[in-house]
Amino acid sequence: KLTQYMGLQSSGTVELVMLRPSAVDAIRGTRANDYEIDGEEHSKSVPTQEPPPSTPITELSFKDVASRMFELWKSGVVDALRLDRSVLFLMKSKTIAHCTARCFVLNFIIFLLLSPILQWAISFAVQFSTAHLHLVGTVIRILFNTLYELLWGFPVYCVSFILSTIWYKDIADHAYKIQYGKPGKGTDSIQRRLADEIYRLLLIGILLGMIFVIQFIPLIGSVINFFQLSWLYSFYSFEYRWAMENWRLEKRLEFFETRWAYFAGFGFPCTAATFFFPKFLSDGIFALLFPVFILTATAARPKLDRLIATAVVSRPSPSPSDSSSSSVSTGTEPQPLLLNMPMAGWMIRMPVFKYPRDFTLAVLTHVMQSLTTDL
C-alpha cells in the first residue's frame, strides 16, 4: 500500500526502522504530517540532505531501555500519589465524600482498632491458661485462633468486603461522571457481559492463586510477589473506569500489558503500604486506602513510550531507457524517501496475565467440552 502511494515500481524496497527521538529531530526533509497513509491525499518530498544514521530498536542499549521504563514507572507513581485530584473529587461530590468517609471509618475500626485488641486478648488468654491452668499452650492457641477466625475474622471480613464494594462502585461512578460525563451504554448482550464477568473472575482468582504460590519461592519469590501485587492493585484501580467505558476484558488486558511499566508504578504505593504487614491487617489497609486510588485512576492518563518509525522507501535505480525522465535520482544509488510515522509504542507487551489467561481458557474449554459431551 505504501509503495502504491509513493509511485514505486515492484522492485522498490520499503524498510521500517526505529529512530531515537534525537535522530528524528535531526532529520531534514519529509515530516510526519506530510503524508496521509490511510487518506486519499498525500504529498511527496525528497530530503535535501543525507539523513542521520538510524538506530534500530535492537541497537538500543539496556541503559536506554531501562531509563525509559523507569520514567514510565515514575509517572505511574506520581499519578497514584496525586492526592490533589482526590481532594477535588471529594470537594465536588458529597456522595464521594460520604462513601469515602464510611469506607475509612469502617475499615479503620475493624482492621486497625478492634482486630489488634482481640489479637492481644487472645495472646493474653493463651499465656494465662498456660501459666495458671497448666494447659498445653499449643492446643489453647489453636483453639482460640480458630474461634477468633470463625466468630470474628471471617464474618467481619465478609461484611467489610460487601459494604466496601458497594461504596467503591458509588465512588467510581460519581468520579467518572465528574471527570468525563455520563458513561455510554454498552452494546454487548447480557449473556456476553455475563460470560465476560465469569472469565474475569476466574482470571483474577487464578492470578491470586499464582501470587500466593510464588511468594514461597526462595530468594526471588518476594520480589516477584511485590511486582505482581503492584500490577494487580493497579488493575483493580482502573477496572471501574474501564467498565464504564464498556471495555471488553481482552481490551483491558492489552491496554494494561502494553503499559506495564506505568501500571507497575501506579500500584507501587498501595503495595508498599500493605506488603510488609500480616495478611488480615494488609487487607484492611488496602480496603482503607483503595478509594483514593480509584479517584486518582479516574483522572490519570496512562502513558505509553513512543518512538518514531521511519519508512525508508528506496526507489529502484533507473534503467538507461528512462533515465532521462527520472527526476528523483540521477546517480547509480537509489535515492531514499523518508516517511516519519508515530508508532503506538515499540515496547514488548509484558505478559502479566498470560499464564492465568491461558489456564483460565483451558479450564473454560474443558468445561464447555464436557457439557457438550453430556448433552
Side-chain angles (χ1 to χ4, degrees):
K1 187 175 181 180
L2 184 61
T3 57
Q4 293 175 0
Y5 280 124
M6 304 302 291
L8 297 180
Q9 302 176 8
S10 59
S11 59
T13 60
V14 177
E15 179 185 4
L16 289 179
V17 295
M18 291 300 195
L19 298 181
R20 298 175 186 266
S22 58
V24 173
D25 293 337
I27 293 178
R28 294 186 177 92
T30 304
R31 305 306 298 173
N33 55 6
D34 287 341
Y35 288 84
E36 183 94 12
I37 296 301
D38 294 324
E40 294 295 330
E41 297 182 359
H42 58 280
S43 60
K44 305 175 189 177
S45 62
V46 180
T48 57
Q49 62 182 7
E50 192 72 20
S54 60
T55 304
I57 187 173
T58 54
E59 294 182 10
L60 288 177
S61 67
F62 176 79
K63 182 180 179 180
D64 292 333
V65 176
S67 177
R68 292 176 184 275
M69 296 303 101
F70 178 74
E71 289 299 322
L72 289 173
W73 179 87
K74 186 170 65 174
S75 67
V77 175
V78 171
D79 281 352
L81 296 178
R82 286 292 302 272
L83 300 182
D84 57 309
R85 294 174 176 174
S86 300
V87 172
L88 288 177
F89 282 120
L90 294 173
M91 294 173 61
K92 291 180 179 180
S93 174
K94 292 183 179 180
T95 302
I96 294 178
H98 290 164
C99 291
T100 302
R102 293 169 188 169
C103 187
F104 183 88
V105 172
L106 174 68
N107 291 293
F108 180 83
I109 292 176
I110 289 178
F111 294 100
L112 302 182
L113 186 62
L114 295 181
S115 293
I117 293 175
L118 289 176
Q119 288 284 2
W120 174 83
I122 290 175
S123 179
F124 177 80
V126 170
Q127 293 178 3
F128 180 83
S129 300
T130 303
H132 299 282
L133 301 180
H134 305 289
L135 299 175
V136 180
T138 304
V139 176
I140 295 298
R141 184 177 297 276
I142 293 175
L143 177 62
F144 275 108
N145 286 337
T146 303
L147 292 175
Y148 171 82
E149 294 293 338
L150 291 177
L151 300 179
W152 174 258
F154 182 74
V156 299
Y157 186 89
C158 292
V159 171
S160 172
F161 178 81
I162 294 172
L163 293 178
S164 296
T165 301
I166 296 173
W167 294 331
Y168 295 158
K169 184 68 167 61
D170 291 339
I171 292 171
D173 288 345
H174 285 80
Y176 188 89
K177 291 178 182 178
I178 293 173
Q179 187 73 17
Y180 305 106
K182 187 177 180 180
K185 295 183 179 180
T187 58
D188 291 337
S189 63
I190 297 178
Q191 294 84 351
R192 185 69 184 183
R193 293 180 184 178
L194 180 60
D196 213 42
E197 185 64 19
I198 293 174
Y199 179 28
R200 187 188 72 85
L201 292 175
L202 286 174
L203 179 69
I204 297 299
I206 293 173
L207 179 61
L208 288 172
M210 292 180 60
I211 291 174
F212 176 78
V213 173
I214 287 175
Q215 67 180 330
F216 297 106
I217 299 177
L219 300 179
I220 63 172
S222 297
V223 177
I224 298 175
N225 186 249
F226 189 95
F227 276 98
Q228 287 184 320
L229 286 175
S230 297
W231 280 319
L232 184 63
Y233 292 160
S234 185
F235 187 82
Y236 283 160
S237 301
F238 281 86
E239 260 209 315
Y240 293 95
R241 173 178 167 182
W242 295 335
M244 281 179 282
E245 293 175 349
N246 300 306
W247 284 18
R248 297 281 303 279
L249 180 60
E250 286 299 328
K251 183 177 180 179
R252 301 178 197 180
L253 299 181
E254 179 182 0
F255 185 86
F256 190 94
E257 291 181 342
T258 52
R259 293 158 178 81
W260 57 272
Y262 173 90
F263 286 112
F266 191 93
F268 175 81
C270 187
T271 306
T274 60
F275 186 78
F276 303 99
F277 295 97
K279 181 67 169 64
F280 191 76
L281 183 59
S282 173
D283 292 341
I285 298 174
F286 171 80
L288 189 146
L289 297 177
F290 190 54
V292 175
F293 295 108
I294 292 177
L295 297 176
T296 54
T298 302
R301 292 291 186 273
K303 297 179 181 179
L304 177 66
D305 196 15
R306 297 171 72 88
L307 288 181
I308 298 295
T310 298
V312 182
V313 183
S314 299
R315 290 182 179 275
S317 300
S319 60
S321 61
D322 58 1
S323 59
S324 59
S325 61
S326 176
S327 60
V328 177
S329 176
T330 57
T332 57
E333 295 295 329
Q335 177 68 36
L337 297 177
L338 298 184
L339 175 60
N340 299 339
M341 299 181 297
M343 296 291 288
W346 61 267
M347 291 186 302
I348 298 175
R349 178 173 174 175
M350 177 68 72
V352 179
F353 296 95
K354 173 178 172 51
Y355 297 109
R357 182 167 58 239
D358 292 346
F359 189 83
T360 302
L361 291 175
V363 171
L364 291 176
T365 302
H366 178 74
V367 171
M368 293 301 297
Q369 290 177 349
S370 301
L371 292 176
T372 305
T373 304
D374 293 340
L375 293 176

